[in-house]
Amino acid sequence: MLFFTQCFGAVLDLIHLRFQHYKAKRVFSAAGQLVCVVNPTHSLKYAPTRCAAAQTSTEQGILPPCHYHEAVHDSQLVPCTCPLFSCPWEGHLEVVVSHLRQTHRINILQGAEIVFLATDMHLPAPMDWIIMHSCLGHQFLLVLRKQEKHEGHPQFFATMMLIGTPTQADNFTYRLELNRNQRRLKWEATPRSVLECVDSVISDGDCLVLNTSLAQLFSDNGSLAIGIAITTSKVQNTEAEM
């Protein structure tokens, strides 16, 4: 009976996931967009965050782990950029993607425009939804976080981070779009580099921020669909220099 119960629960979870994916494909297939269904994950590194530790280290005169120089080649190593874990891994920037995929099992989706479908938005904070997006020859990390900045008032924060240097990040523009029930909300900005701290970006509010009421307006049965588009501004920068 225990074996049957466990198997039956797994089948129900699979049916639920397939149903969510089918609904998303039905809504967005007309636009030719790829849909990635992302389940929430509890973060294991909220207390204290690496950025909080960085502030303490700075006061003590120690180089903070969330601050890096632009040069990241040769002998310089960077720590794990996964927002979910206080991972002790260090490596070159070029192998960060392999580490995220192999060690932390973060999915990667390819395409110029995709739809990030976050499920179970009703779960209590803190909660993260994370994927990698491969586009224009680079990899980006999309982080959606449900977090309480004030007790009893959870908010949703969505940001895009380039797995590259800040100089490389300046060559791109990302757009996050919510569209439901004749309502549309867009956020457009330059992605930040993963060499910066995701926690700092969210704390500063330099990202798409939704309160609970606004998130419910755009959600469908507890799922929130976010359209993602990435463009390059390299050509525009070249024209400006000319």
Side-chain angles (χ1 to χ4, degrees), residues 186-222:
K186 291 184 180 181
W187 167 267
E188 188 171 293
T190 299
R192 304 280 284 270
S193 166
V194 292
L195 298 183
E196 305 175 57
C197 220
V198 176
D199 298 335
S200 294
V201 176
I202 292 177
S203 297
D204 295 341
D206 186 17
C207 55
L208 175 64
V209 182
L210 305 172
N211 59 31
T212 304
S213 299
L214 194 57
Q216 289 177 349
L217 277 178
F218 289 97
S219 65
D220 181 17
N221 292 327

mmCIF file of all heavy atoms in Angstrom, residues 186-222:
data_model
loop_
_atom_site.group_PDB
_atom_site.id
_atom_site.type_symbol
_atom_site.label_atom_id
_atom_site.label_comp_id
_atom_site.label_asym_id
_atom_site.label_seq_id
_atom_site.Cartn_x
_atom_site.Cartn_y
_atom_site.Cartn_z
ATOM 1 N N LYS A 186 5.372 45.455 -18.563
ATOM 2 C CA LYS A 186 6.703 45.185 -19.107
ATOM 3 C C LYS A 186 7.786 45.764 -18.204
ATOM 4 O O LYS A 186 7.606 46.821 -17.620
ATOM 5 C CB LYS A 186 6.852 45.791 -20.512
ATOM 6 C CG LYS A 186 6.030 45.123 -21.595
ATOM 7 C CD LYS A 186 6.333 45.749 -22.946
ATOM 8 C CE LYS A 186 5.526 45.090 -24.051
ATOM 9 N NZ LYS A 186 5.826 45.689 -25.385
ATOM 10 N N TRP A 187 8.897 45.040 -18.153
ATOM 11 C CA TRP A 187 10.105 45.547 -17.507
ATOM 12 C C TRP A 187 11.250 45.350 -18.491
ATOM 13 O O TRP A 187 11.465 44.252 -19.009
ATOM 14 C CB TRP A 187 10.383 44.796 -16.210
ATOM 15 C CG TRP A 187 11.761 45.061 -15.659
ATOM 16 C CD1 TRP A 187 12.901 44.318 -15.888
ATOM 17 C CD2 TRP A 187 12.161 46.145 -14.819
ATOM 18 N NE1 TRP A 187 13.965 44.860 -15.225
ATOM 19 C CE2 TRP A 187 13.552 45.996 -14.574
ATOM 20 C CE3 TRP A 187 11.485 47.224 -14.252
ATOM 21 C CZ2 TRP A 187 14.271 46.872 -13.779
ATOM 22 C CZ3 TRP A 187 12.201 48.108 -13.462
ATOM 23 C CH2 TRP A 187 13.573 47.933 -13.228
ATOM 24 N N GLU A 188 11.992 46.401 -18.763
ATOM 25 C CA GLU A 188 13.109 46.327 -19.697
ATOM 26 C C GLU A 188 14.338 46.956 -19.064
ATOM 27 O O GLU A 188 14.260 48.063 -18.502
ATOM 28 C CB GLU A 188 12.760 47.043 -21.003
ATOM 29 C CG GLU A 188 13.804 46.852 -22.102
ATOM 30 C CD GLU A 188 13.321 47.380 -23.440
ATOM 31 O OE1 GLU A 188 12.360 46.791 -23.987
ATOM 32 O OE2 GLU A 188 13.875 48.382 -23.929
ATOM 33 N N ALA A 189 15.454 46.271 -19.138
ATOM 34 C CA ALA A 189 16.666 46.757 -18.486
ATOM 35 C C ALA A 189 17.876 46.032 -19.055
ATOM 36 O O ALA A 189 17.755 45.052 -19.806
ATOM 37 C CB ALA A 189 16.590 46.551 -16.979
ATOM 38 N N THR A 190 19.056 46.495 -18.679
ATOM 39 C CA THR A 190 20.305 45.816 -19.000
ATOM 40 C C THR A 190 20.547 44.737 -17.957
ATOM 41 O O THR A 190 20.434 45.000 -16.758
ATOM 42 C CB THR A 190 21.477 46.811 -18.993
ATOM 43 O OG1 THR A 190 21.246 47.812 -19.984
ATOM 44 C CG2 THR A 190 22.792 46.102 -19.303
ATOM 45 N N PRO A 191 20.864 43.519 -18.379
ATOM 46 C CA PRO A 191 21.105 42.471 -17.380
ATOM 47 C C PRO A 191 22.333 42.782 -16.543
ATOM 48 O O PRO A 191 23.252 43.467 -16.988
ATOM 49 C CB PRO A 191 21.306 41.211 -18.234
ATOM 50 C CG PRO A 191 21.752 41.728 -19.563
ATOM 51 C CD PRO A 191 21.067 43.035 -19.754
ATOM 52 N N ARG A 192 22.337 42.291 -15.342
ATOM 53 C CA ARG A 192 23.512 42.407 -14.472
ATOM 54 C C ARG A 192 24.368 41.156 -14.651
ATOM 55 O O ARG A 192 23.896 40.091 -15.048
ATOM 56 C CB ARG A 192 23.073 42.562 -13.027
ATOM 57 C CG ARG A 192 22.126 43.728 -12.787
ATOM 58 C CD ARG A 192 22.841 45.053 -12.686
ATOM 59 N NE ARG A 192 23.488 45.179 -11.396
ATOM 60 C CZ ARG A 192 22.885 45.703 -10.318
ATOM 61 N NH1 ARG A 192 21.641 46.148 -10.398
ATOM 62 N NH2 ARG A 192 23.537 45.801 -9.168
ATOM 63 N N SER A 193 25.629 41.280 -14.340
ATOM 64 C CA SER A 193 26.537 40.135 -14.415
ATOM 65 C C SER A 193 26.381 39.266 -13.180
ATOM 66 O O SER A 193 26.103 39.759 -12.079
ATOM 67 C CB SER A 193 27.984 40.635 -14.520
ATOM 68 O OG SER A 193 28.897 39.580 -14.282
ATOM 69 N N VAL A 194 26.586 37.941 -13.354
ATOM 70 C CA VAL A 194 26.517 37.033 -12.205
ATOM 71 C C VAL A 194 27.693 37.264 -11.267
ATOM 72 O O VAL A 194 27.712 36.723 -10.152
ATOM 73 C CB VAL A 194 26.489 35.558 -12.648
ATOM 74 C CG1 VAL A 194 25.196 35.218 -13.348
ATOM 75 C CG2 VAL A 194 27.698 35.221 -13.507
ATOM 76 N N LEU A 195 28.694 38.046 -11.711
ATOM 77 C CA LEU A 195 29.786 38.391 -10.810
ATOM 78 C C LEU A 195 29.308 39.341 -9.719
ATOM 79 O O LEU A 195 29.961 39.511 -8.704
ATOM 80 C CB LEU A 195 30.941 39.033 -11.584
ATOM 81 C CG LEU A 195 31.599 38.138 -12.642
ATOM 82 C CD1 LEU A 195 32.759 38.852 -13.294
ATOM 83 C CD2 LEU A 195 32.059 36.832 -12.028
ATOM 84 N N GLU A 196 28.155 39.976 -9.971
ATOM 85 C CA GLU A 196 27.496 40.740 -8.922
ATOM 86 C C GLU A 196 26.571 39.793 -8.167
ATOM 87 O O GLU A 196 26.281 38.692 -8.623
ATOM 88 C CB GLU A 196 26.707 41.901 -9.526
ATOM 89 C CG GLU A 196 27.554 42.809 -10.416
ATOM 90 C CD GLU A 196 26.724 43.885 -11.101
ATOM 91 O OE1 GLU A 196 26.051 44.656 -10.391
ATOM 92 O OE2 GLU A 196 26.753 43.930 -12.337
ATOM 93 N N CYS A 197 26.078 40.232 -7.037
ATOM 94 C CA CYS A 197 25.267 39.354 -6.191
ATOM 95 C C CYS A 197 23.787 39.460 -6.557
ATOM 96 O O CYS A 197 23.245 40.562 -6.629
ATOM 97 C CB CYS A 197 25.464 39.733 -4.731
ATOM 98 S SG CYS A 197 25.573 38.313 -3.642
ATOM 99 N N VAL A 198 23.146 38.329 -6.803
ATOM 100 C CA VAL A 198 21.715 38.338 -7.077
ATOM 101 C C VAL A 198 20.954 38.946 -5.906
ATOM 102 O O VAL A 198 19.996 39.703 -6.084
ATOM 103 C CB VAL A 198 21.211 36.907 -7.366
ATOM 104 C CG1 VAL A 198 19.702 36.897 -7.560
ATOM 105 C CG2 VAL A 198 21.894 36.345 -8.590
ATOM 106 N N ASP A 199 21.395 38.626 -4.703
ATOM 107 C CA ASP A 199 20.730 39.151 -3.514
ATOM 108 C C ASP A 199 20.786 40.675 -3.474
ATOM 109 O O ASP A 199 19.833 41.332 -3.056
ATOM 110 C CB ASP A 199 21.379 38.574 -2.249
ATOM 111 C CG ASP A 199 21.241 37.065 -2.167
ATOM 112 O OD1 ASP A 199 20.287 36.536 -2.768
ATOM 113 O OD2 ASP A 199 22.072 36.419 -1.517
ATOM 114 N N SER A 200 21.905 41.256 -3.903
ATOM 115 C CA SER A 200 22.037 42.711 -3.915
ATOM 116 C C SER A 200 21.090 43.342 -4.928
ATOM 117 O O SER A 200 20.488 44.386 -4.663
ATOM 118 C CB SER A 200 23.481 43.113 -4.235
ATOM 119 O OG SER A 200 24.354 42.710 -3.213
ATOM 120 N N VAL A 201 20.973 42.715 -6.108
ATOM 121 C CA VAL A 201 20.069 43.230 -7.140
ATOM 122 C C VAL A 201 18.635 43.257 -6.620
ATOM 123 O O VAL A 201 17.905 44.238 -6.804
ATOM 124 C CB VAL A 201 20.168 42.371 -8.417
ATOM 125 C CG1 VAL A 201 19.159 42.833 -9.460
ATOM 126 C CG2 VAL A 201 21.580 42.431 -8.991
ATOM 127 N N ILE A 202 18.236 42.190 -5.952
ATOM 128 C CA ILE A 202 16.876 42.108 -5.423
ATOM 129 C C ILE A 202 16.688 43.086 -4.266
ATOM 130 O O ILE A 202 15.655 43.762 -4.171
ATOM 131 C CB ILE A 202 16.565 40.663 -4.990
ATOM 132 C CG1 ILE A 202 16.493 39.767 -6.235
ATOM 133 C CG2 ILE A 202 15.274 40.590 -4.192
ATOM 134 C CD1 ILE A 202 16.262 38.305 -5.930
ATOM 135 N N SER A 203 17.673 43.195 -3.397
ATOM 136 C CA SER A 203 17.565 44.126 -2.279
ATOM 137 C C SER A 203 17.459 45.573 -2.754
ATOM 138 O O SER A 203 16.726 46.383 -2.173
ATOM 139 C CB SER A 203 18.776 43.984 -1.348
ATOM 140 O OG SER A 203 18.825 42.689 -0.781
ATOM 141 N N ASP A 204 18.185 45.887 -3.836
ATOM 142 C CA ASP A 204 18.138 47.246 -4.387
ATOM 143 C C ASP A 204 16.857 47.519 -5.174
ATOM 144 O O ASP A 204 16.560 48.675 -5.483
ATOM 145 C CB ASP A 204 19.347 47.497 -5.289
ATOM 146 C CG ASP A 204 20.662 47.466 -4.523
ATOM 147 O OD1 ASP A 204 20.602 47.609 -3.279
ATOM 148 O OD2 ASP A 204 21.717 47.285 -5.140
ATOM 149 N N GLY A 205 16.121 46.470 -5.505
ATOM 150 C CA GLY A 205 14.890 46.642 -6.281
ATOM 151 C C GLY A 205 15.147 46.951 -7.740
ATOM 152 O O GLY A 205 14.248 47.432 -8.449
ATOM 153 N N ASP A 206 16.370 46.658 -8.242
ATOM 154 C CA ASP A 206 16.701 46.902 -9.646
ATOM 155 C C ASP A 206 16.259 45.713 -10.486
ATOM 156 O O ASP A 206 17.060 45.006 -11.105
ATOM 157 C CB ASP A 206 18.203 47.146 -9.795
ATOM 158 C CG ASP A 206 18.584 47.552 -11.216
ATOM 159 O OD1 ASP A 206 17.681 47.946 -11.984
ATOM 160 O OD2 ASP A 206 19.779 47.470 -11.563
ATOM 161 N N CYS A 207 14.954 45.469 -10.488
ATOM 162 C CA CYS A 207 14.389 44.311 -11.168
ATOM 163 C C CYS A 207 12.876 44.496 -11.245
ATOM 164 O O CYS A 207 12.339 45.509 -10.783
ATOM 165 C CB CYS A 207 14.737 43.024 -10.409
ATOM 166 S SG CYS A 207 14.236 43.038 -8.668
ATOM 167 N N LEU A 208 12.199 43.538 -11.839
ATOM 168 C CA LEU A 208 10.739 43.567 -11.860
ATOM 169 C C LEU A 208 10.228 43.184 -10.478
ATOM 170 O O LEU A 208 10.542 42.118 -9.956
ATOM 171 C CB LEU A 208 10.214 42.579 -12.907
ATOM 172 C CG LEU A 208 8.690 42.404 -12.973
ATOM 173 C CD1 LEU A 208 8.009 43.706 -13.381
ATOM 174 C CD2 LEU A 208 8.324 41.281 -13.938
ATOM 175 N N VAL A 209 9.437 44.068 -9.879
ATOM 176 C CA VAL A 209 8.928 43.841 -8.527
ATOM 177 C C VAL A 209 7.404 43.816 -8.573
ATOM 178 O O VAL A 209 6.771 44.729 -9.100
ATOM 179 C CB VAL A 209 9.401 44.943 -7.551
ATOM 180 C CG1 VAL A 209 8.900 44.654 -6.142
ATOM 181 C CG2 VAL A 209 10.926 45.055 -7.567
ATOM 182 N N LEU A 210 6.827 42.759 -8.017
ATOM 183 C CA LEU A 210 5.371 42.607 -7.968
ATOM 184 C C LEU A 210 4.937 42.360 -6.534
ATOM 185 O O LEU A 210 5.501 41.506 -5.851
ATOM 186 C CB LEU A 210 4.915 41.420 -8.831
ATOM 187 C CG LEU A 210 5.322 41.382 -10.304
ATOM 188 C CD1 LEU A 210 4.933 40.044 -10.906
ATOM 189 C CD2 LEU A 210 4.665 42.513 -11.070
ATOM 190 N N ASN A 211 3.921 43.094 -6.089
ATOM 191 C CA ASN A 211 3.322 42.729 -4.812
ATOM 192 C C ASN A 211 2.339 41.580 -5.037
ATOM 193 O O ASN A 211 2.070 41.185 -6.181
ATOM 194 C CB ASN A 211 2.649 43.926 -4.141
ATOM 195 C CG ASN A 211 1.557 44.544 -5.007
ATOM 196 O OD1 ASN A 211 0.905 43.846 -5.789
ATOM 197 N ND2 ASN A 211 1.356 45.846 -4.888
ATOM 198 N N THR A 212 1.801 41.041 -3.974
ATOM 199 C CA THR A 212 0.946 39.858 -4.088
ATOM 200 C C THR A 212 -0.297 40.134 -4.919
ATOM 201 O O THR A 212 -0.686 39.308 -5.770
ATOM 202 C CB THR A 212 0.540 39.366 -2.693
ATOM 203 O OG1 THR A 212 1.716 39.124 -1.911
ATOM 204 C CG2 THR A 212 -0.269 38.086 -2.782
ATOM 205 N N SER A 213 -0.927 41.277 -4.737
ATOM 206 C CA SER A 213 -2.147 41.603 -5.477
ATOM 207 C C SER A 213 -1.880 41.701 -6.975
ATOM 208 O O SER A 213 -2.658 41.200 -7.799
ATOM 209 C CB SER A 213 -2.737 42.923 -4.972
ATOM 210 O OG SER A 213 -3.072 42.831 -3.607
ATOM 211 N N LEU A 214 -0.770 42.332 -7.342
ATOM 212 C CA LEU A 214 -0.435 42.478 -8.754
ATOM 213 C C LEU A 214 -0.085 41.134 -9.376
ATOM 214 O O LEU A 214 -0.473 40.843 -10.522
ATOM 215 C CB LEU A 214 0.735 43.450 -8.915
ATOM 216 C CG LEU A 214 1.017 43.975 -10.326
ATOM 217 C CD1 LEU A 214 -0.207 44.652 -10.911
ATOM 218 C CD2 LEU A 214 2.200 44.925 -10.301
ATOM 219 N N ALA A 215 0.619 40.298 -8.634
ATOM 220 C CA ALA A 215 0.966 38.967 -9.139
ATOM 221 C C ALA A 215 -0.291 38.133 -9.370
ATOM 222 O O ALA A 215 -0.376 37.379 -10.350
ATOM 223 C CB ALA A 215 1.898 38.265 -8.154
ATOM 224 N N GLN A 216 -1.279 38.271 -8.501
ATOM 225 C CA GLN A 216 -2.523 37.525 -8.666
ATOM 226 C C GLN A 216 -3.302 37.970 -9.895
ATOM 227 O O GLN A 216 -3.991 37.170 -10.537
ATOM 228 C CB GLN A 216 -3.378 37.666 -7.407
ATOM 229 C CG GLN A 216 -2.830 36.913 -6.206
ATOM 230 C CD GLN A 216 -3.652 37.136 -4.950
ATOM 231 O OE1 GLN A 216 -4.515 38.000 -4.906
ATOM 232 N NE2 GLN A 216 -3.368 36.368 -3.905
ATOM 233 N N LEU A 217 -3.201 39.256 -10.249
ATOM 234 C CA LEU A 217 -3.879 39.751 -11.440
ATOM 235 C C LEU A 217 -3.381 39.048 -12.703
ATOM 236 O O LEU A 217 -4.143 38.826 -13.643
ATOM 237 C CB LEU A 217 -3.673 41.263 -11.586
ATOM 238 C CG LEU A 217 -4.588 42.193 -10.797
ATOM 239 C CD1 LEU A 217 -4.184 43.645 -11.038
ATOM 240 C CD2 LEU A 217 -6.045 41.978 -11.174
ATOM 241 N N PHE A 218 -2.095 38.710 -12.725
ATOM 242 C CA PHE A 218 -1.499 38.116 -13.915
ATOM 243 C C PHE A 218 -1.334 36.602 -13.813
ATOM 244 O O PHE A 218 -0.884 35.976 -14.771
ATOM 245 C CB PHE A 218 -0.133 38.757 -14.181
ATOM 246 C CG PHE A 218 -0.211 40.174 -14.674
ATOM 247 C CD1 PHE A 218 -0.062 41.225 -13.789
ATOM 248 C CD2 PHE A 218 -0.467 40.457 -16.007
ATOM 249 C CE1 PHE A 218 -0.131 42.537 -14.230
ATOM 250 C CE2 PHE A 218 -0.542 41.758 -16.461
ATOM 251 C CZ PHE A 218 -0.380 42.803 -15.569
ATOM 252 N N SER A 219 -1.680 36.024 -12.685
ATOM 253 C CA SER A 219 -1.520 34.582 -12.528
ATOM 254 C C SER A 219 -2.764 33.844 -12.986
ATOM 255 O O SER A 219 -3.854 34.407 -13.074
ATOM 256 C CB SER A 219 -1.207 34.237 -11.066
ATOM 257 O OG SER A 219 -2.305 34.566 -10.229
ATOM 258 N N ASP A 220 -2.592 32.564 -13.268
ATOM 259 C CA ASP A 220 -3.687 31.704 -13.716
ATOM 260 C C ASP A 220 -3.611 30.404 -12.929
ATOM 261 O O ASP A 220 -2.708 29.593 -13.133
ATOM 262 C CB ASP A 220 -3.571 31.433 -15.214
ATOM 263 C CG ASP A 220 -4.700 30.560 -15.737
ATOM 264 O OD1 ASP A 220 -5.726 30.429 -15.029
ATOM 265 O OD2 ASP A 220 -4.563 30.002 -16.833
ATOM 266 N N ASN A 221 -4.550 30.231 -12.003
ATOM 267 C CA ASN A 221 -4.593 29.025 -11.171
ATOM 268 C C ASN A 221 -3.250 28.777 -10.464
ATOM 269 O O ASN A 221 -2.750 27.657 -10.419
ATOM 270 C CB ASN A 221 -4.972 27.804 -12.003
ATOM 271 C CG ASN A 221 -6.405 27.863 -12.487
ATOM 272 O OD1 ASN A 221 -7.285 28.401 -11.801
ATOM 273 N ND2 ASN A 221 -6.658 27.336 -13.671
ATOM 274 N N GLY A 222 -2.680 29.855 -9.940
ATOM 275 C CA GLY A 222 -1.454 29.708 -9.164
ATOM 276 C C GLY A 222 -0.181 29.679 -9.978
ATOM 277 O O GLY A 222 0.901 29.461 -9.418
#
